Amino acid sequence: MMGQMMEQGLLISTLLKHAENCHADTEIVSRIVEPAEGEARFHRTNWGEVAVRCRKLANALKRLGVGDSDRVGTLAWNGYRHLELYYAISGSGAVIHTINPRLFPEQIAWIINHAEDRVLCFDINLAPLVEKLVPLCPTVKTWVALTDAANKPKQAIANLVCYEDLLAAENDRFEWPELDERQAACLCYTSGTTGNPKGALYSHRSTLLHTYASSLPDVMNTSARDVVLPIVPMFHVNAWGIPYSAALVGYKLVMPGAALDGASLCEMFVNEGVTFSAGVPTVWLGMLSYVREHGVKLPAFKRAIVGGSACPPSLQQAFKKELGVSLQPGWGMTEMSPLGAVNALKKKHLELSDEPRGTLELKAGRLVFGVEAKIVDGDGKELPRDGVAFGDLLVRGPWVIKDYYRSDKSPLVDGWFPTGDVATLDADGFIGITDRSKDVIKSGGEWISSIDLENIAMSHPAIAEAAVIGIAHPKWDERPLLVAVRRPGAEVSGKELIAHYEGRIAKWWTPDDVAFVDELPHTATGKVQKLKLREQFKEHQLP
Amino acid sequence: MMGQMMEQGLLISTLLKHAENCHADTEIVSRIVEPAEGEARFHRTNWGEVAVRCRKLANALKRLGVGDSDRVGTLAWNGYRHLELYYAISGSGAVIHTINPRLFPEQIAWIINHAEDRVLCFDINLAPLVEKLVPLCPTVKTWVALTDAANKPKQAIANLVCYEDLLAAENDRFEWPELDERQAACLCYTSGTTGNPKGALYSHRSTLLHTYASSLPDVMNTSARDVVLPIVPMFHVNAWGIPYSAALVGYKLVMPGAALDGASLCEMFVNEGVTFSAGVPTVWLGMLSYVREHGVKLPAFKRAIVGGSACPPSLQQAFKKELGVSLQPGWGMTEMSPLGAVNALKKKHLELSDEPRGTLELKAGRLVFGVEAKIVDGDGKELPRDGVAFGDLLVRGPWVIKDYYRSDKSPLVDGWFPTGDVATLDADGFIGITDRSKDVIKSGGEWISSIDLENIAMSHPAIAEAAVIGIAHPKWDERPLLVAVRRPGAEVSGKELIAHYEGRIAKWWTPDDVAFVDELPHTATGKVQKLKLREQFKEHQLP
C-alpha cells in the first residue's frame, strides 16, 4: 500500500522559486571579473532579481536551440551570472556542465567534446583560452561571453554573443517544467590523476537531497543569519553545493570571482561580514599569511570547511588561536556530489582533553546521513568500525554515482562505490583517511600509509614537500621510497631524514631510501602526481 | 536523459541503520510508565541496543502475522519501546498507527476499526482503557502490553501478550526490506473538531524528507551536541518528527513517559541536561509556574519549539527573561507531517528594535523549504505576500497529504491543500495566522479575525478565557459575539469589555455583544469547540 502524500518532485527549480518567494531581498554580492574602466568592482543583486533573470535566460536558452537534456558548458568563476546559469540551465531541463578553466586546453577540449556541449558560456578573462578552444570544439554552436556588449571580448571567436544581450531580448515569463526528479541536471568531470577525465551526471533528486543534507547543523550548519563566501569554485563539484543551499537557506552569498589571493579574499570577508566559508588548504594558507602580515581582523568569521586534501594541523590551530575560526575538515569526491563527511564533534567529545580532541578534529569527517560507508580488506571482507583497522573505503547513497557518463563499465563493487581511499571508520562514523588505494604501499602482505610517512618527513624543519611511493621489492613486494624537496638553503641528508622516523612509526614502515628532487610534479588542482613519480623512479635501486 | 546516480530509496530503516553505525552509544533515557515496586524509575538504553531489539521486534511482528502494509496501532507515551515500534513496524513494511489515548473510548474504537489495526500495543497505565476497547475492536488479533511478564496487566484482555516476552522469543537477525520509498509507513488521525477523525497516511519518502528538513538550522536546529526532550507526544503527529531526527542527528533523546507536569518535566530537564524541547503552550505554562515556585535552574536549556496553538506573548517573554530560553513558534498540521514553518529570524531582523522584533518573533513561523504556500481570497485569487493581506492559506509539497486514508473525496483545491487557516504571508516567508477559516467572521463582505478579538478580550485583567463567534445578521451577514469567562472573583460588565476594544481595533471589528459563561467547551486536545458554541448561541439575539 502506497502512502497518500503529494507527488511533488525534488527539482532544482523549486529551490529558485523558494528563494524568490522567501528570500527575494537577500543579497548576492559578486566581484566582477576584469571590471572595465569606471565599472564598479562589485556587483550587488538579490534572489528576486536573479529569479527574474533566470526566467529570461531560460527563454534565451530555448532560442539558442538548447533542448531537453542538452549540455551547456560553463568556464566561469564564482559570480552571479554563473549562479543564474546553474538555475536556468538545470531548471529548464538541460544539463549544466561546469568546466575547470585551469586544466590544459587540450583536456578542456576533450571534455567539451565528450560532453557534446551545445552552448558554452565563459568569463571574459578566459577569452584567450576560448579562442584556442573554438577550432577544437565542433559541437559548440554558440559561445556566450558572460558580460555586456560594452565589454565584448576582442578575440576571434565565431558565433560569439554577449550574455546581457541574450537576456535583454527575452521576457521574464517562463514556467519551470515539472521534470522527472531523476532527470540529469549537472555534469562534472573528475580531474583524475590517471587516464581521461570521467563525468559524474547528477540528477535533480540527488542534488536536492545533497542540498538538504549539506545545510544540516552537523554539516555546513548554515542559517539565514549567515554570510557565506564559497572559495571553492563553482566549476569544482558545484562549489560543494553552496549555490543550491544558498537558495534553500537564504543566507547572504558573497562570490569572490577569480581573485582567490589573500588580499582579495580579506577585502570581501571584511566588507561583507562573511561568517562561513569553504575551500582547500592552499587558499587558507594564503589567507592566513596575508592576515598575519597586515594584521587583518575578521570578527564576523566563525567557521569554514576545509576539504580537497587533508587539513594541516598547524593551519587548523592557527585559525583557531589567531582568528577564532573553526576550520572543520570535510571529505567527499566528485562522484559523491561531493559531501560524504564533515568533522563535527558530538556531545561526549566536548569533554575530551586537548590532545585527543585535537586528533579527532583533524579527521576527515563524520558521515553525513544519506551516505553509508564500509571498509574492506583486499578480499572484500568488511573490517571493524573501531577507528584502528583500515581498508578500502566504499560508499553508497542517493547522491553517489552508479555509472560514469557515457561509460559502459560500472565502477561499482556489489552496489558500492569504491572511493579509492584507504581509511579507518569508528563507531561514531568518523572517517580517518589513511591513504589513496593506489598510493598505499603493500609490504609483506601489510599496508603502509604513504600519507603518514609524508607527514613525518614534512615535520622535519628542512623539508618543504615530500612524497612517498612504493618501489618494487623482490621479497616484500613493495618498499617505501621517500622523495623529498629541501627548503631553500636548508641542509639535510637522507640518513638524517631516515633517523627522523625513529620512534614516530613502526620500524618496518620506515622508508628504505630517500631521493632528493628540486620539485615534485603536481596536477592542475595542486595534487602531487604520484603516477609520474612512480614512472620517474621505476628503475630506482633500493639499498 | 536520466542522471546516473544510485537508486537508494528514502526508507525509515536507513535512519535506524545510520543510528546503529554512527550513534550506537548515544543515550535514550525514558521515564518508566508506572514503575513496579523496586523498579528503576528511569530506563537507559542507546541506539546500538534499540537497533538489535528492533530486529527482534520485526521478527515478532512477522510471527504475529503482521504482513506488508498491515496496520499496527499504538496507545503509548513517549518512551523507548514506542521508539522501537516506530522503527520496527515501518521498517519491516507495515504501518504504525499512533493513537491519542486522551480521546473518548468510542472515538478510539472508531479509529482502530477504520484503520483495521491487526495488532495493538499499549502502555500499561492504559490497560483500563484497553479493557473497554477489546469488545469494540474485532480487527485486533493481538493486544501487546508494553512491559515484561512481571508487570502484565490484570485486566480482562483476550489475546494479551507482553512485549518483552515477544522479543525474548526472537533472534536479532532481520534484513530490513528494500521497500518502494512511496510505501505507506505511518498513519495519524486528525482529532478534528467536526465530524469523524481523518487519517493521514505518510510514506517512507515523505517521512525522510521531513526528517532532513526538520533538522535544519532554521527549523529545529539539532546537532549531535544536543539533548532533546520531546514533550509533544509520539501519538501526536509523530512528536513533530523528533523520533526520526534523533536517529539522523544522533542527539541524546530524553523521553518523559506519561508525566508532563512541571515537576516531572523539570526533574528530567535538570538531571539529563536537556538543551532543546518541543511542546504546546499549556505544558510550557505548567513548567513556567513550577520553575517560578521552586526556583529551578535550567542552565543547559536554550531553545524550544512551541506549536499546536498560538504562543502567548507573555509566555515567550517569561522564558526569555527568566530562563534564557527562546520559545520559537512553529506551525503545521497532521496533514503536513506536521512541519510547515518555524519562527527563525534572518540576519536583517537581528537589527530590529525590541518592538517590531517581538512582533515578528510571535508569528507562526517562516516557511520551511519543501512546503510551498499561498493565500487566496474567497474567489481563489492569489493575494499579495505583503504581511498585510490575509486569506485562506493553501500549501503543497512532498510531505503534504493528497488524500485522506480510505476517503474517496480529495481535499485538494487545484493541487493545493487548504489548511483551514486564514493567514498573512510576507516576502520573507513568515506566516501570520489570522484565524481558522471556519471561525473567521464574515461581516459586510470583509473578514474579521476571531483570534484578534479573543486576544484583546483576554488582555482584560478580569477575563480568564474568551471565544468570539459569528452570529447571523440580516444586514451584515455575520457579526461578532464575544463569549467570555470571568476570572474567579473578578467583576466586569459587557459594556466595560466592549469599551476595552476602543483604540485597539477598527471600530467595525468591535463585538456587537458579550455573553458571560462559567466555562467554554474544549476538545480532548484543549482547543475551544467553537462548533458547540455556535450551536449553543445560534438563537442569540444581538442588540
Side-chain angles (χ1 to χ4, degrees):
Chain A
M1 178 169 67
M2 293 296 124
Q4 290 176 266
M5 309 305 285
M6 288 189 185
E7 279 141 27
Q8 300 280 307
L10 300 171
L11 298 179
I12 288 172
S13 58
T14 64
L15 284 169
L16 184 65
K17 285 190 227 171
H18 175 76
E20 187 175 23
N21 282 333
C22 299
H23 306 303
D25 68 359
T26 301
E27 263 193 311
I28 297 156
V29 186
S30 307
R31 182 186 289 276
I32 294 295
V33 175
E34 291 199 345
E37 185 77 21
E39 191 183 352
R41 293 165 56 232
F42 298 100
H43 175 273
R44 288 173 190 276
T45 182
N46 58 40
W47 282 107
E49 294 173 0
V50 163
V52 169
R53 284 166 56 91
C54 283
R55 292 196 291 272
K56 290 185 178 185
L57 179 52
N59 284 321
L61 291 170
K62 293 269 175 259
R63 193 179 300 262
L64 291 177
V66 174
D68 190 68
S69 296
D70 279 353
R71 274 74 62 207
V72 176
T74 65
L75 277 163
W77 312 101
N78 292 7
Y80 69 103
R81 291 186 182 114
H82 205 177
L83 186 71
E84 290 163 359
L85 289 164
Y86 263 55
Y87 283 96
I89 296 168
S90 302
S92 64
V95 175
I96 181 168
H97 168 211
T98 50
I99 307 164
N100 185 347
R102 297 203 187 103
L103 299 175
F104 297 112
E106 297 70 27
Q107 281 180 296
I108 295 177
W110 187 93
I111 292 173
I112 291 173
N113 289 322
H114 189 265
E116 299 178 296
D117 292 333
R118 186 184 175 90
V119 171
L120 205 131
C121 309
F122 63 96
D123 266 329
I124 54 173
N125 72 337
L126 299 170
L129 166 65
V130 168
E131 193 175 17
K132 287 182 206 153
L133 294 175
V134 171
L136 305 175
C137 301
T139 67
V140 178
K141 303 301 174 211
T142 312
W143 298 82
V144 180
L146 296 171
T147 189
D148 53 19
N151 292 294
K152 189 168 178 173
K154 304 285 180 280
Q155 279 78 2
I157 298 169
N159 303 311
L160 175 67
V161 293
C162 287
Y163 183 83
E164 294 299 336
D165 291 343
L166 281 179
L167 262 63
E170 303 294 336
N171 73 54
D172 63 5
R173 288 186 300 282
F174 185 87
E175 282 292 320
W176 301 108
E178 295 285 337
L179 308 167
D180 184 323
E181 69 181 28
R182 295 166 303 164
Q183 187 164 329
C186 336
L187 179 60
C188 293
Y189 282 78
T190 59
S191 51
T193 46
T194 58
N196 281 321
K198 287 174 282 188
L201 189 65
Y202 310 136
S203 66
H204 286 259
R205 172 186 166 97
S206 69
T207 305
L208 271 270
L209 292 174
H210 184 268
T211 305
Y212 271 123
S214 72
S215 310
L216 291 169
D218 281 337
V219 188
M220 289 206 182
N221 191 21
T222 45
S223 81
R225 294 167 299 290
D226 276 308
V227 179
V228 177
L229 188 151
I231 303 180
V232 52
M234 290 169 74
F235 55 75
H236 185 70
V237 215
N238 295 336
W240 302 347
I242 290 175
Y244 301 113
S245 68
L248 185 154
V249 174
Y251 48 73
K252 176 175 161 184
L253 190 56
V254 182
M255 298 290 221
L260 305 185
D261 58 288
S264 304
L265 287 175
C266 281
E267 182 185 17
M268 294 197 92
F269 269 73
V270 170
N271 292 351
E272 306 301 337
V274 172
T275 61
F276 173 79
S277 183
V280 295
T282 319
V283 295
W284 297 122
L285 285 165
M287 197 160 142
L288 182 65
S289 66
Y290 184 86
V291 164
R292 282 172 171 171
E293 203 172 321
H294 296 82
V296 179
K297 295 271 172 282
L298 303 168
F301 189 26
K302 299 298 175 212
R303 293 175 305 108
I305 302 287
V306 54
S309 53
C311 178
S314 57
L315 182 69
Q316 193 180 53
Q317 280 162 22
F319 265 76
K320 189 83 203 157
K321 286 186 189 153
E322 297 171 35
L323 293 170
V325 172
S326 296
L327 275 195
Q328 295 174 269
W331 172 84
M333 52 200 307
T334 303
E335 291 87 343
M336 296 172 67
S337 304
L339 281 176
V342 166
N343 193 308
L345 299 189
K346 296 180 162 188
K347 185 176 155 59
K348 65 179 177 184
H349 300 134
L350 302 180
E351 288 141 33
L352 289 174
S353 61
D354 283 359
E355 207 194 305
R357 183 170 165 162
T359 304
L360 191 62
E361 284 178 330
L362 280 167
K363 284 202 171 185
R366 183 155 63 77
L367 282 170
V368 174
F369 173 69
V371 174
E372 273 182 275
K374 66 175 181 180
I375 49 173
V376 299
D377 65 15
D379 301 323
K381 206 181 119 246
E382 194 167 343
L383 295 167
R385 295 163 189 263
D386 59 7
V388 177
F390 58 92
D392 285 314
L393 178 64
L394 292 99
V395 294
R396 66 179 182 189
W399 58 82
V400 179
I401 65 158
K402 63 176 177 188
D403 280 307
Y404 287 105
Y405 182 55
R406 293 182 55 198
S407 157
D408 47 14
K409 204 182 135 222
S410 168
L412 303 194
V413 178
D414 290 335
W416 293 75
F417 181 82
T419 63
D421 278 325
V422 174
T424 60
L425 269 181
D426 73 14
D428 294 315
F430 275 92
I431 296 173
I433 301 294
T434 308
D435 212 336
R436 292 290 296 165
S437 302
K438 61 185 188 306
D439 296 337
V440 79
I441 293 141
K442 282 141 189 138
S443 176
E446 300 285 336
W447 290 3
I448 299 173
S449 159
S450 67
I451 293 176
D452 285 0
L453 300 186
E454 288 157 6
N455 285 341
I456 292 171
M458 285 192 277
S459 74
H460 191 285
I463 296 301
E465 198 175 12
V468 173
I469 53 172
I471 297 290
H473 189 285
K475 178 169 177 192
W476 301 109
D477 218 8
E478 282 185 351
R479 286 299 300 163
L481 167 70
L482 169 61
V483 185
V485 181
R486 291 193 190 91
R487 281 187 196 278
E491 289 284 341
V492 66
S493 70
K495 220 174 207 167
E496 285 166 323
L497 266 186
I498 298 279
H500 184 63
Y501 281 90
E502 263 189 50
R504 290 189 162 87
I505 210 101
K507 259 212 162 62
W508 65 274
W509 278 41
T510 311
D512 280 17
D513 201 4
V514 181
F516 289 101
V517 291
D518 291 338
E519 60 177 336
L520 295 172
H522 290 97
T523 66
T525 55
K527 293 176 186 171
V528 172
Q529 288 181 296
K530 292 210 177 167
L531 191 76
K532 271 209 177 151
L533 270 189
R534 277 190 284 264
E535 186 63 27
Q536 187 181 338
F537 287 95
K538 77 175 169 201
E539 310 291 346
H540 185 87
Q541 294 296 320
L542 293 172
Chain B
M1 178 170 66
M2 293 296 124
Q4 290 176 267
M5 309 306 286
M6 286 188 186
E7 280 140 26
Q8 299 279 309
L10 300 172
L11 299 179
I12 287 171
S13 59
T14 63
L15 284 169
L16 184 65
K17 285 190 227 171
H18 176 75
E20 187 176 22
N21 281 333
C22 299
H23 306 303
D25 68 0
T26 301
E27 263 194 312
I28 297 156
V29 186
S30 308
R31 182 186 289 276
I32 294 296
V33 175
E34 291 199 345
E37 185 77 19
E39 191 182 353
R41 293 165 56 232
F42 298 99
H43 175 272
R44 288 174 189 275
T45 181
N46 58 40
W47 282 106
E49 293 173 0
V50 163
V52 169
R53 284 166 56 91
C54 283
R55 292 196 290 272
K56 291 185 179 185
L57 179 53
N59 283 321
L61 291 168
K62 294 268 174 259
R63 193 178 300 262
L64 291 177
V66 174
D68 190 67
S69 296
D70 278 354
R71 274 75 61 207
V72 176
T74 64
L75 276 164
W77 312 100
N78 292 7
Y80 70 101
R81 291 187 181 113
H82 205 177
L83 185 71
E84 290 163 359
L85 288 165
Y86 263 54
Y87 283 95
I89 296 169
S90 301
S92 63
V95 175
I96 180 167
H97 168 211
T98 51
I99 307 163
N100 184 346
R102 297 203 187 102
L103 299 175
F104 297 112
E106 296 71 25
Q107 282 179 295
I108 295 177
W110 187 94
I111 292 173
I112 291 173
N113 288 322
H114 189 265
E116 300 179 296
D117 292 333
R118 186 183 174 91
V119 171
L120 205 132
C121 310
F122 63 96
D123 266 329
I124 53 173
N125 72 338
L126 298 170
L129 165 67
V130 168
E131 192 175 17
K132 288 182 206 154
L133 294 175
V134 171
L136 305 175
C137 300
T139 67
V140 178
K141 303 301 173 211
T142 313
W143 298 83
V144 179
L146 295 171
T147 189
D148 53 20
N151 293 294
K152 190 168 180 173
K154 304 285 180 283
Q155 280 77 3
I157 298 169
N159 303 310
L160 175 66
V161 294
C162 285
Y163 183 84
E164 295 298 336
D165 291 343
L166 282 179
L167 262 63
E170 302 296 336
N171 73 54
D172 63 5
R173 288 186 300 281
F174 185 88
E175 282 291 322
W176 301 108
E178 295 286 336
L179 308 168
D180 185 323
E181 70 182 27
R182 297 165 304 162
Q183 186 162 328
C186 337
L187 178 59
C188 293
Y189 282 78
T190 61
S191 52
T193 46
T194 59
N196 281 322
K198 287 174 283 188
L201 188 65
Y202 310 136
S203 66
H204 286 258
R205 173 186 166 96
S206 69
T207 304
L208 270 271
L209 292 174
H210 184 269
T211 305
Y212 271 123
S214 72
S215 311
L216 291 169
D218 281 336
V219 187
M220 289 206 182
N221 191 22
T222 43
S223 80
R225 295 167 298 290
D226 275 308
V227 179
V228 177
L229 187 150
I231 303 181
V232 51
M234 290 169 75
F235 55 74
H236 185 69
V237 215
N238 295 337
W240 302 348
I242 290 176
Y244 302 114
S245 68
L248 186 154
V249 175
Y251 48 74
K252 174 175 162 183
L253 189 57
V254 182
M255 298 290 220
L260 305 186
D261 58 288
S264 304
L265 286 176
C266 280
E267 182 184 19
M268 292 197 93
F269 270 72
V270 170
N271 292 351
E272 307 300 336
V274 172
T275 62
F276 173 79
S277 182
V280 294
T282 318
V283 295
W284 298 122
L285 285 165
M287 197 160 143
L288 182 65
S289 66
Y290 184 86
V291 164
R292 282 172 170 169
E293 203 171 321
H294 297 82
V296 180
K297 295 271 172 281
L298 304 168
F301 189 26
K302 299 296 175 214
R303 293 175 305 107
I305 303 287
V306 53
S309 53
C311 178
S314 58
L315 181 69
Q316 194 181 52
Q317 280 162 23
F319 265 76
K320 189 81 203 157
K321 286 185 188 154
E322 297 171 37
L323 293 170
V325 171
S326 296
L327 275 195
Q328 294 174 269
W331 172 85
M333 51 200 306
T334 303
E335 291 86 343
M336 297 172 67
S337 303
L339 280 175
V342 166
N343 194 308
L345 298 189
K346 295 180 164 189
K347 184 176 156 58
K348 65 179 176 183
H349 300 134
L350 301 180
E351 289 141 32
L352 288 175
S353 62
D354 284 359
E355 207 193 306
R357 181 169 167 162
T359 304
L360 191 61
E361 284 179 330
L362 280 166
K363 285 201 169 186
R366 183 156 63 76
L367 282 169
V368 174
F369 172 70
V371 175
E372 273 183 278
K374 66 175 180 179
I375 49 174
V376 299
D377 66 14
D379 301 324
K381 207 182 117 246
E382 193 167 343
L383 295 167
R385 296 164 189 260
D386 59 7
V388 177
F390 58 91
D392 285 313
L393 178 63
L394 293 99
V395 294
R396 66 178 181 190
W399 58 83
V400 180
I401 66 158
K402 63 176 177 189
D403 280 309
Y404 287 106
Y405 182 55
R406 293 181 54 198
S407 158
D408 48 13
K409 206 182 135 221
S410 169
L412 304 194
V413 179
D414 289 336
W416 292 75
F417 181 82
T419 63
D421 278 325
V422 175
T424 61
L425 268 181
D426 73 15
D428 294 314
F430 275 92
I431 296 174
I433 300 295
T434 308
D435 212 336
R436 291 290 297 166
S437 303
K438 61 185 189 306
D439 296 336
V440 79
I441 294 141
K442 280 140 189 139
S443 176
E446 300 285 336
W447 291 2
I448 299 172
S449 160
S450 66
I451 293 175
D452 285 359
L453 300 186
E454 288 157 7
N455 285 340
I456 292 171
M458 285 192 277
S459 74
H460 191 285
I463 296 302
E465 197 174 13
V468 173
I469 55 172
I471 298 289
H473 190 283
K475 179 171 176 188
W476 300 109
D477 219 9
E478 283 184 351
R479 286 299 301 161
L481 167 70
L482 170 61
V483 185
V485 181
R486 291 193 190 90
R487 280 186 196 279
E491 290 284 340
V492 65
S493 71
K495 221 177 208 168
E496 287 167 320
L497 266 186
I498 297 280
H500 185 63
Y501 281 90
E502 261 188 52
R504 291 190 161 85
I505 209 103
K507 260 211 160 64
W508 65 274
W509 277 42
T510 311
D512 281 17
D513 200 4
V514 181
F516 288 102
V517 292
D518 291 338
E519 61 177 335
L520 295 173
H522 290 97
T523 65
T525 55
K527 292 177 186 170
V528 172
Q529 287 181 297
K530 291 209 177 166
L531 192 75
K532 271 208 176 152
L533 270 190
R534 277 190 284 266
E535 185 63 30
Q536 187 179 339
F537 286 95
K538 77 175 169 202
E539 309 291 348
H540 185 85
Q541 295 296 319
L542 293 172

